[in-house]
Amino acid sequence: MTAEPKVIPVAVTVNGVEHEFAEPLSVRELLERLELPCRGVALAVDGALFPKGRWDEPVGRGWQIEVLTAVQGG
């Protein structure tokens, strides 16, 4: 009898709201799943800019993600 591998949920905080996912996903998939825009935004992970070139990488457990949009003003 073979034991199935235990799936450990991925828990992250996005814009101050905690989310938990049953399976690993990329940053881009995370944005899509949460219905957040992938264009015209920047991301900060744990307070540091997260380049768009890395959005296909897996989301890390416990990440604090902020989705930032440009605001016009003067």
Side-chain angles (χ1 to χ4, degrees), residues 40-41 68-72:
V41 298
L68 311 167
T69 57
V71 177
Q72 290 184 329

Side-chain angles (χ1 to χ4, degrees), residues 1-68:
M1 190 162 154
T2 310
E4 293 195 24
K6 184 177 180 181
V7 176
I8 300 172
V10 177
V12 297
T13 302
V14 180
N15 293 342
V17 179
E18 292 183 28
H19 299 274
E20 191 171 282
F21 300 94
E23 71 282 339
L25 67 165
S26 71
V27 173
R28 190 175 313 278
E29 291 168 330
L30 170 76
L31 294 175
E32 291 170 359
R33 193 141 333 152
L34 297 178
E35 298 181 358
L36 294 168
C38 289
R39 299 184 71 192
V41 298
L43 295 183
V45 175
D46 297 331
L49 183 63
F50 194 81
K52 198 165 197 167
R54 296 183 56 196
W55 285 15
D56 290 319
E57 294 180 15
V59 172
R61 285 182 178 81
W63 279 7
Q64 300 280 327
I65 301 171
E66 294 294 325
V67 181
L68 311 167

